């Protein structure tokens, strides 16, 4: 596996964006696919925070590009620390919002500083590791954390707080796991290419998932050879980032419906990935799953397999146009390196066989 | 003509005045007992005064030339003694263009009287200049350098006129009056051309090294950096954050009230309206829009400069991911980021040293 390029798209893309934002890309796409059939374009789609970029980063990592190199990860120090700060800010804000007092006076001091003046450069100072950790362990903050479905918080929170002693040091270089755990909202569209054997190249396209970002997906719709749709299993108790009154599962189903039934994808292999299986299993152990799905048998709510089966049915019911034999459903835990590698390999095989059949 | 530039030296006080403009007039009077002096300074640096003085001096000079030369010419043509008639001021005559003019004792007297007047003005302004306690724009330094250049130029001119070989032979090929013109040309270079160069250099550096700016902001504020980032964002289908950031800068820089309001409306309409083409990726966009619309439309007076600060920060945060993608694909941006980091490190170590010295002093 040599030749891997991570790049924005060729210059042709830019005028379509400016001139006809909602029409299909007229020459960039079909002409290009006709010219080199050897390139397989795979789109990673899904609503916000479904794990598209996490999977994308994992694929980069096991192909030895991007974040594999120290130099590349050093560039991400600021982003990791920004994640720490945002998590801390959101938690502190939540204690106020939910009326849960922070218990220790010194932690209240820390909270004040976080809200008012703390910035990423301050986190070079190791003393912040202790202060932030003590805040994280505060009973008030922990109580807010237990109620995290009521506000917006990154999945990385616990991981980052547990690793503060490394992060708050002037010698800190993010590890691959740090980078994969860090939440960065993708804006726009980015892609990478790598060889998959048989003289073929796979071009993996990662996109932003929020509502405004979805309008940009259409630029790639007619060049696409396969779609991987991600949805988060653990979002059943969460509301949207873009609209805090809207249930994430409803949004995911809506987006899935629109994508899978799109006429441009009738003949395209389609993979549905239920992501964040790890988080999901932890979550249903403490939270009620059936509370959110009236059609689900309450007795089964602690059984992840039954829950996932139910979710699968829910999603597959949305398919009205797409031939079902070209749809594959899998579960994934994108933060787990080995699992990602295995699932992605399966997805790749599925896509390649579908291509062959064609 | 140093006279006019000297008057710019009290620039600090004039800015104090203009900034207090917005306070009520009475309170200003109480707070600043020397309001009159400030008003005087304000007037001295105003374009009105500078332009009026230039035009005034030009008119007086032209008038002296026309009146004195006219009288000279009339007396010359009225003189019936054709053999011995002579012009008192302009020796070959007013309308003689074939040969150059030469100094006569008459014109020398006029020049001397004028010189006394101008030299007096120069000395007065020079004293004012030396007494001024701040030299923000290096005008004091330039003036003193120019005084030296001017004295050398004049001395060389005067000395040359006493050396026969200079005034007769050399002057035939290279006029020694060039010493004077050389000094004048140097004035333009020292006091006009060089300051422009300093300003350009300073602007260039400040866009690179504003210490408050993050790396991303520094890139965006650099012309080539901005172009590169916008181009990359377009190709990655996310120009909205870059464009919004730049429109917010435009909004902040705009001084005219109506224009400012117009830009504010444009920003709200294009970036903060759900489903608009350049909609930002932002939570609760509809609420944000409503809130900001109220702040912009509701304010009877001028729109506050920091209305969009929150949006600006959001744009910068959104661009963090893009910046990372760009650094790994664009050499120019990569080198710029490297440079900025180097600078930050230098700055930090300098600050540390200053702190250390300060602490040592405290201990002593």
């Amino acid at each position: 596996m040599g030749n891997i390029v991570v790049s924005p798209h060729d210059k042709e893309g830019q005028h379509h964006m400016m001139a006809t934002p909602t029409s299909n890309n007229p020459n960039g796409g079909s002409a290009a696919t006709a010219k080199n059939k050897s390139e397989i374009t795979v789109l990673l789609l899904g609503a916000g925070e479904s794990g598209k970029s996490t999977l994308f980063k994992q694929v980069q990592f096991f192909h030895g590009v991007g974040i594999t190199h120290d130099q590349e990860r050093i560039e991400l120090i600021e982003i990791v620390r920004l994640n720490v700060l945002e998590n801390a800010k959101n938690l502190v804000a939540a204690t106020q919002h939910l009326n849960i007092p922070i218990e220790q006076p010194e932690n209240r001091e820390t909270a004040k500083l976080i809200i008012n003046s703390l910035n990423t450069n301050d986190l070079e100072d190791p003393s912040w590791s202790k202060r932030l950790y003590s805040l994280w362990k505060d009973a008030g903050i922990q109580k807010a954390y237990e109620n995290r479905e009521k506000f917006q918080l990154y999945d990385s929170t616990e991981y980052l707080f547990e690793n503060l002693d490394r992060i708050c040091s002037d010698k800190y270089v993010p590890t691959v796991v740090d980078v994969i755990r860090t939440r960065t909202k993708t804006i726009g569209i980015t892609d990478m290419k790598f060889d998959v054997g048989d003289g073929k190249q796979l071009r993996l396209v990662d996109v932003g998932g929020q509502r405004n970002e979805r309008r940009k997906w259409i630029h790639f719709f007619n060049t696409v050879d396969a779609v991987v749709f991600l949805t988060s299993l653990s979002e059943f108790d969460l509301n949207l980032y873009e609209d805090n009154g809207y249930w994430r599962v409803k949004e995911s189903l809506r987006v899935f419906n629109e994508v899978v039934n799109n006429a441009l994808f009738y003949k395209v292999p389609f993979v549905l990935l239920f992501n964040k299986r790890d988080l999901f299993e932890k979550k249903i152990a403490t939270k009620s799953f059936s509370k959110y799905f009236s059609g689900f048998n309450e007795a089964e709510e602690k059984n992840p397999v039954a829950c996932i089966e139910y979710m699968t049915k829910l999603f597959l019911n949305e398919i009205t146009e797409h031939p079902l034999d070209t749809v594959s459903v899998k579960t994934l835990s994108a933060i787990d390196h080995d699992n990602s590698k295995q699932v992605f390999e399966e997805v790749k095989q599925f896509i390649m066989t579908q291509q062959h059949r064609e | 003509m140093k006279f006019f530039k000297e008057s710019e030296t009290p620039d600090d006080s004039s800015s104090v005045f203009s900034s207090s403009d917005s306070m009520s007039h009475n309170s200003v009077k109480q707070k600043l007992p020397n309001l009159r002096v400030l008003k005087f300074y304000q007037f001295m640096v105003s374009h009105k005064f500078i332009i009026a003085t230039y035009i005034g001096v030009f008119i007086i000079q032209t008038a002296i030339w026309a009146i004195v030369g006219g009288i000279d010419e009339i007396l010359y043509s009225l003189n019936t003694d054709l053999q011995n008639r002579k012009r008192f001021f302009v020796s070959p005559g007013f309308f003689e263009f074939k040969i150059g003019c030469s100094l006569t004792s008459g014109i020398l007297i006029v020049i001397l009287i004028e010189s006394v007047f101008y030299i007096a003005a120069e000395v007065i302004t020079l004293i004012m200049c030396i007494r001024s306690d701040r030299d923000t724009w290096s005008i004091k330094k330039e003036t003193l350098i120019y005084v030296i250049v001017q004295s050398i130029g004049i001395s060389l001119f005067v000395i040359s006129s006493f050396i026969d070989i200079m005034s007769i032979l050399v002057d035939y090929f290279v006029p020694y009056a060039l010493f004077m013109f050389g000094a004048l040309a140097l004035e333009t270079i020292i006091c006009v051309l060089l300051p422009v160069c300093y300003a350009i250099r300073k602007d260039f550096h400040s866009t690179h090294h504003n210490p408050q700016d993050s790396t991303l902001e520094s890139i965006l504020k650099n012309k080539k950096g901005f172009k590169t980032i916008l181009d990359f964002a377009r190709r990655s289908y996310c120009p909205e954050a870059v464009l919004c950031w730049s429109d917010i800068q435009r909004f902040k820089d705009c001084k005219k009230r109506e224009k400012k309001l117009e830009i504010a409306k444009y920003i709200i309409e294009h970036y903060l309206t759900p489903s608009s083409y350049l909609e930002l990726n932002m939570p609760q966009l509809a609420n944000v829009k409503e809130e900001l619309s109220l702040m912009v439309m509701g304010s009877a007076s001028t729109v506050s400069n920091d209305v969009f600060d929150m949006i600006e920060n959001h744009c910068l945060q959104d661009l963090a991911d893009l910046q990372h993608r760009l650094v790994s694909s664009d050499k120019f941006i990569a080198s710029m980021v490297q440079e900025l980091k180097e600078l930050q490190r230098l700055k930090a170590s300098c600050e540390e040293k200053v702190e250390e010295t300060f602490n040592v002093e405290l201990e002593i």
Side-chain angles (χ1 to χ4, degrees):
Chain A
M1 304 247 155
N3 210 4
I4 296 155
V5 192
V6 184
S7 68
H9 334 289
D10 18 79
K11 292 224 172 188
E12 292 127 57
Q14 83 187 66
H15 31 254
H16 311 307
M17 176 66 186
M18 297 320 286
T20 49
T22 48
S23 76
N24 288 347
N25 169 338
N27 50 23
S30 43
T33 29
K35 207 168 53 192
N36 46 57
K37 256 282 178 209
S38 58
E39 188 175 285
I40 306 164
T41 304
V42 178
L43 279 186
L44 290 175
L45 301 181
E49 289 181 68
S50 55
K52 300 175 289 296
S53 299
T54 312
L55 183 61
F56 188 80
K57 281 188 270 187
Q58 289 281 21
V59 175
Q60 273 194 349
F61 179 47
F62 52 71
H63 284 98
V65 286
I67 56 164
T68 320
H69 307 295
D70 276 7
Q71 199 46 47
E72 190 108 342
R73 293 199 309 277
I74 286 175
E75 300 290 340
L76 293 167
I77 296 177
E78 174 119 1
I79 291 182
V80 176
R81 289 189 177 144
L82 208 63
N83 257 248
V84 173
L85 281 187
E86 272 172 40
N87 283 331
K89 269 185 193 163
N90 287 339
L91 278 170
V92 172
T95 54
Q96 285 164 358
H97 181 69
L98 301 173
N99 254 331
I100 307 169
I102 298 175
E103 284 183 1
Q104 302 303 319
E106 73 263 21
N107 290 338
R108 277 201 288 273
E109 266 321 295
T110 311
K112 245 186 230 163
L113 283 170
I114 288 170
I115 296 290
N116 294 327
S117 62
L118 199 64
N119 67 46
T120 49
N121 289 338
D122 297 332
L123 295 189
E124 266 182 29
D125 184 352
S127 69
W128 274 103
S129 150
K130 280 198 196 87
R131 296 184 73 168
L132 286 174
Y133 190 75
S134 144
L135 176 74
W136 163 243
K137 285 290 165 200
D138 190 280
I141 292 285
Q142 282 297 320
K143 203 169 166 199
Y145 183 66
E146 276 161 30
N147 288 294
R148 59 187 174 278
E149 76 277 2
K150 298 195 175 108
F151 55 99
Q152 299 289 338
L153 194 70
Y154 302 153
D155 296 331
S156 61
T157 311
E158 191 174 347
Y159 173 82
L160 290 174
F161 276 113
E162 295 294 341
N163 285 283
L164 279 171
D165 48 339
R166 277 191 305 112
I167 297 168
C168 297
S169 143
D170 52 353
K171 292 187 183 61
Y172 173 59
V173 177
T175 63
V176 174
V177 180
D178 291 350
V179 172
I180 283 177
R181 290 282 194 142
T182 309
R183 159 79 186 150
T184 326
K185 186 177 68 185
T186 309
I187 63 164
I189 296 173
T190 177
D191 67 351
M192 67 183 281
K193 291 176 190 170
F194 51 91
D195 294 337
V196 283
D198 290 348
K200 287 194 176 184
Q201 267 204 326
L202 196 141
R203 179 188 188 196
L204 191 63
V205 182
D206 182 27
V207 300
Q210 287 74 26
R211 285 177 179 171
N212 78 316
E213 302 291 338
R214 283 180 223 146
R215 275 177 288 136
K216 304 167 182 173
W217 295 359
I218 202 149
H219 295 288
F220 278 80
F221 277 13
N222 64 349
T223 61
V224 82
D225 300 304
V227 176
V228 176
F229 190 95
L230 283 97
T231 181
S232 163
L233 279 170
S234 73
E235 68 184 8
F236 67 84
D237 61 345
L238 300 177
N239 280 337
L240 279 186
Y241 162 86
E242 4 359 354
D243 179 357
N244 212 356
Y246 203 92
W247 188 30
R248 286 195 183 206
V249 176
K250 202 170 155 192
E251 181 86 346
S252 274
L253 282 166
R254 203 165 60 102
V255 180
F256 179 71
N257 185 321
E258 275 171 34
V259 173
V260 78
N261 297 319
N262 191 310
L264 287 165
F265 298 149
Y266 286 173
K267 292 186 172 168
V268 163
F270 207 100
V271 182
L272 174 60
L273 287 184
F274 285 107
N275 189 21
K276 307 198 188 179
R277 193 189 165 123
D278 51 327
L279 266 182
F280 173 72
E281 283 174 10
K282 269 190 211 159
K283 197 176 253 182
I284 54 169
T286 54
K287 295 229 158 91
S288 165
F289 181 76
S290 59
K291 192 177 129 192
Y292 297 91
F293 301 95
S294 52
F296 186 74
N297 179 9
E298 207 183 323
E300 291 264 51
E301 73 169 359
K302 299 294 169 202
N303 175 2
V305 179
C307 294
I308 293 170
E309 220 165 77
Y310 178 80
M311 293 288 281
T312 311
K313 262 187 214 149
L314 215 58
F315 273 83
L316 293 184
N317 272 342
E318 296 288 329
I319 305 178
T320 53
E321 313 289 335
H322 201 101
L324 278 171
D325 59 335
T326 54
V327 178
S328 164
V329 183
K330 292 176 194 309
T331 59
L332 168 73
S333 171
I335 53 163
D336 178 340
H337 178 72
D338 295 334
N339 183 248
S340 293
K341 195 167 180 175
Q342 187 203 331
V343 172
F344 189 73
E345 209 46 54
E346 287 170 21
V347 169
K348 212 163 75 184
Q349 284 312 320
F350 173 74
I351 293 168
M352 305 278 274
T353 15
Q354 292 291 328
Q355 287 259 319
H356 267 289
R357 254 178 41 174
E358 209 181 284
Chain B
M1 295 275 152
K2 290 309 293 182
F3 182 75
F4 313 107
K5 280 193 93 184
E6 259 83 73
S7 52
E8 287 172 26
T9 17
D11 56 308
D12 305 294
S13 23
S14 68
S15 66
V16 167
F17 181 69
S18 49
S19 68
S20 58
D21 237 8
S22 53
M23 287 188 239
S24 84
H25 206 66
N26 282 339
S27 70
V28 175
K29 267 190 177 162
Q30 282 161 3
K31 277 183 189 162
L32 302 167
N34 52 353
L35 184 68
R36 260 195 205 160
V37 181
L38 291 178
K39 262 194 167 166
F40 171 69
Y41 286 149
Q42 177 89 344
F43 174 66
M44 292 281 275
V45 294
S46 65
H47 288 298
K48 222 192 274 172
F49 174 76
I50 292 170
I51 293 168
T53 319
Y54 269 113
I55 292 174
V57 169
F58 177 73
I59 290 173
I60 291 171
Q61 286 289 325
T62 319
I64 293 174
W65 173 75
I67 293 166
V68 174
I71 292 170
D72 199 17
E73 200 64 22
I74 291 165
L75 288 177
Y76 178 78
S77 53
L78 289 179
N79 198 337
T80 46
D81 181 5
L82 288 177
Q83 293 290 304
N84 290 322
R85 68 177 182 176
K86 247 183 161 176
R87 289 183 173 86
F88 186 68
F89 291 117
V90 190
S91 81
F94 226 160
F95 303 104
E96 179 57 73
F97 303 111
K98 274 183 252 158
I99 46 172
C101 57
S102 52
L103 281 178
T104 61
S105 51
I107 201 78
L108 209 59
I109 293 167
V110 176
I111 291 177
L112 279 177
I113 293 170
E114 274 185 25
S115 306
V116 168
F117 177 74
Y118 282 122
I119 288 170
E122 186 172 334
V123 170
I124 291 170
T125 48
L126 200 61
I127 292 169
M128 278 168 73
C129 170
I130 293 168
R131 279 169 53 98
S132 69
D133 44 3
R134 269 182 219 132
D135 191 19
T136 319
W137 307 108
S138 313
I139 288 172
K140 199 194 269 189
K141 221 182 319 168
E142 284 162 11
T143 309
L144 293 175
I145 291 172
Y146 179 63
V147 167
I148 298 168
V149 172
Q150 195 189 34
S151 322
I152 294 173
I154 292 174
S155 332
L156 284 175
F157 175 73
V158 173
I159 293 167
S160 308
S161 68
F162 285 111
I163 303 170
D164 282 352
I165 200 162
M166 285 293 281
S167 61
I168 298 165
L169 184 66
V170 177
D171 192 53
Y172 198 75
F173 301 102
V174 187
Y176 63 87
L178 279 182
F179 283 127
M180 288 288 280
F181 289 109
L184 287 172
L186 275 175
E187 178 193 2
T188 318
I189 293 172
I190 295 169
C191 304
V192 181
L193 193 65
L194 288 180
V196 171
C197 297
Y198 304 148
I200 291 172
R201 194 182 60 185
K202 204 178 150 207
D203 278 357
F204 180 74
H205 279 267
S206 63
T207 49
H208 273 281
H209 311 319
N210 190 342
Q212 254 101 56
D213 285 347
S214 64
T215 315
L216 180 61
E217 270 177 303
S218 307
I219 298 174
L220 284 165
K221 283 181 182 171
N222 175 287
K223 218 172 170 189
K224 192 173 172 200
F226 179 79
K227 255 181 87 179
T228 318
I229 227 173
L230 181 60
D231 180 53
F232 186 81
R234 271 211 182 112
R235 283 188 282 132
S236 306
Y237 301 92
C238 51
E240 58 270 4
V242 184
L243 292 173
C244 180
W245 178 88
S246 106
D247 278 331
I248 291 174
Q249 306 309 307
R250 209 156 57 88
F251 166 81
K252 288 207 280 196
D253 290 341
C254 183
K255 298 275 183 305
K256 277 193 195 139
R257 222 191 81 182
E258 275 145 37
K259 183 90 185 141
K260 212 175 172 93
L261 200 67
E262 208 176 281
I263 303 174
K265 280 182 193 161
Y266 178 91
I267 292 172
I268 291 174
E269 201 177 302
H270 284 79
Y271 304 107
L272 304 179
T273 306
S275 302
S276 70
Y277 171 40
L278 288 169
E279 176 191 356
L280 288 179
N281 186 339
M282 204 170 178
Q284 316 296 325
L285 198 67
N287 297 351
V288 173
K289 182 190 176 183
E290 200 174 312
E291 212 172 280
L292 285 174
S293 301
L294 267 177
M295 277 166 86
V296 169
M297 313 300 176
S299 60
S301 56
T302 41
V303 193
S304 147
N305 231 355
D306 52 19
V307 175
F308 293 116
D309 276 7
M310 191 258 272
I311 310 284
E312 190 182 346
N313 279 334
H314 182 87
C315 289
L316 290 172
Q317 252 176 43
D318 269 6
L319 287 173
D321 172 42
L322 190 82
Q323 181 201 341
H324 176 69
R325 267 144 56 185
L326 184 55
V327 167
S328 43
S329 75
D330 187 283
K331 276 190 189 136
F332 170 72
I333 297 292
S335 70
M336 202 168 161
V337 167
Q338 208 54 44
E339 233 171 74
L340 285 163
K341 275 200 183 138
E342 195 68 29
L343 251 160
Q344 262 171 10
R345 233 199 350 258
L346 272 175
K347 207 186 131 231
S349 72
C350 274
E351 270 171 8
E352 232 165 65
K353 278 210 179 108
V354 169
E355 217 165 85
E356 266 170 34
T357 336
F358 185 68
N359 287 341
V360 169
E361 270 173 18
L362 274 185
E363 277 165 27
I364 291 167

